């Protein structure tokens, strides 16, 4: 029994070196679930139910562009950047002065050890919505509560009811995981309400609905 518990504890954690790029591509179906199961739902009304929005969207940790591919299904204007060269729009460190200016949406899967910094940078420069895909563990930490969640509570935490299999450095249609993930969503500067309570929402099983055969092809 003890051996089994120990194994599960190791499987449920993901440790990266401090200088690691922490590149774990997001399966496209998990990004589609953000739109169809959360942002476009009537109770949240954070995104219009139209074919494409003319709003601008920034993906500042784009990696190989798997999330960008889905964002372009919903936005006519998508800008992508990353600190490493993956063939994206431009090479840029989002946390530096290289990236400035405003956008309507910031949607990304940032390196976990920099996720808080990504949110804090994105909030004042994003007009409508900031959404990050992160391990559910992101909710923990007294320091993160004091620095981020207390002064800037998310509008929604959308927890996946099923596991989202993620593999370092590549997408996989057959991978499994013991780690749980959620979307953490903040209202942008146009709709910010720091007194509102965070809504906890469960994303229903979505993989079979939103996964497409060509999602795992290299671009």
């Amino acid at each position: 029994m003890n051996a089994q518990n120990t194994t599960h504890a190791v499987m449920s954690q993901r440790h990266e070196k401090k200088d690691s790029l922490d590149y774990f591509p997001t399966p496209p179906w998990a990004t589609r679930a953000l739109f169809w199961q959360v942002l476009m739902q009537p109770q949240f009304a954070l995104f219009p139910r139209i074919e494409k929005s003319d709003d601008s969207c920034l993906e500042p940790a784009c990696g190989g562009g798997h999330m960008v591919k889905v964002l372009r299904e919903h936005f006519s204007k998508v800008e992508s950047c990353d600190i490493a060269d993956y063939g994206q729009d431009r090479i840029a460190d989002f946390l530096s002065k290289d990236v400035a200016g405003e956008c309507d949406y910031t949607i990304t899967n940032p390196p976990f050890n920099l996720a808080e910094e990504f949110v804090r940078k994105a909030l004042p420069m994003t007009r409508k919505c900031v959404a990050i895909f992160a391990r559910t563990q992101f909710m923990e930490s007294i320091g993160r509560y004091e620095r981020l969640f207390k002064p800037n509570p998310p509008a929604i935490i959308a927890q996946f009811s099923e596991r989202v299999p993620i593999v370092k450095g590549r997408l996989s249609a057959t991978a499994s995981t013991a780690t749980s993930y959620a979307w953490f969503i903040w209202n942008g500067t146009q709709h910010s309400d720091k007194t509102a309570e965070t809504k906890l929402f469960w994303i229903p099983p979505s993989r079979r609905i939103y996964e497409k055969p060509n999602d795992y092809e290299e671009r």
Side-chain angles (χ1 to χ4, degrees):
M1 180 65 72
N2 290 337
Q4 182 178 2
N5 288 341
T6 301
T7 301
H8 179 76
V10 172
M11 289 176 62
S12 296
Q13 299 178 43
R14 194 179 85 194
H15 297 289
E16 287 293 294
K17 296 179 182 179
K18 289 184 178 180
D19 60 351
S20 170
L21 292 177
D22 196 26
Y23 176 42
F24 288 78
T26 312
W29 67 264
T31 304
R32 293 189 186 103
L34 167 68
F35 286 91
W36 293 102
Q37 297 287 3
V38 186
L39 298 185
M40 293 192 293
Q41 290 300 308
Q43 66 266 41
F44 303 129
L46 295 175
F47 194 84
R49 280 184 171 270
I50 57 177
E51 185 175 351
K52 276 194 177 183
S53 170
D54 288 332
D55 288 335
S56 59
C57 181
L58 173 66
E59 214 292 41
C62 65
H66 306 290
M67 189 176 289
V68 170
K69 178 181 178 180
V70 178
L71 295 177
R72 285 180 174 149
E73 297 173 2
H74 296 278
F75 296 97
S76 57
K77 306 171 191 173
V78 178
E79 180 183 359
S80 63
C81 64
D82 200 291
I83 196 171
D85 186 0
Y86 296 98
Q88 68 275 12
D89 293 332
R90 63 178 174 136
I91 301 172
D93 179 0
F94 177 65
L95 298 181
S96 74
K97 295 180 180 179
D98 293 346
V99 182
E102 293 187 336
C103 60
D104 294 306
Y105 289 78
T106 301
I107 300 176
T108 190
N109 173 1
F112 186 78
N113 61 347
L114 295 174
E116 178 186 336
E117 288 85 346
F118 266 67
V119 174
R120 293 169 65 186
K121 168 75 180 282
L123 283 174
M125 61 181 285
T126 307
R127 289 183 285 266
K128 293 189 176 181
C129 177
V130 174
I132 69 160
F133 178 85
R135 304 201 303 267
T136 307
Q137 180 188 350
F138 187 63
M139 285 192 288
E140 299 177 343
S141 165
I142 294 174
R144 190 174 297 127
Y145 168 75
E146 295 290 348
R147 293 186 302 265
L148 177 61
F149 293 131
K150 184 178 179 180
N152 293 288
I156 303 166
I157 297 176
Q159 172 67 45
F160 281 90
S161 60
E162 63 189 316
R163 294 292 166 87
V164 183
I166 290 182
V167 179
K168 184 173 183 177
R170 61 186 177 87
L171 284 181
S172 173
T174 59
S176 61
T177 184
T179 304
S180 68
Y181 289 88
W183 280 102
F184 294 80
I185 302 162
W186 284 261
N187 287 318
T189 56
Q190 288 184 358
H191 308 288
S192 179
D193 182 359
K194 297 181 180 181
T195 65
E197 293 186 359
T198 300
K199 298 176 182 177
L200 178 61
F201 177 78
W202 280 266
I203 298 176
S206 299
R207 180 171 183 171
R208 291 186 179 182
I209 302 172
Y210 301 116
E211 191 171 53
K212 297 182 179 180
N214 64 347
D215 280 346
Y216 301 93
E217 297 176 358
E218 293 296 327
R219 69 174 190 174

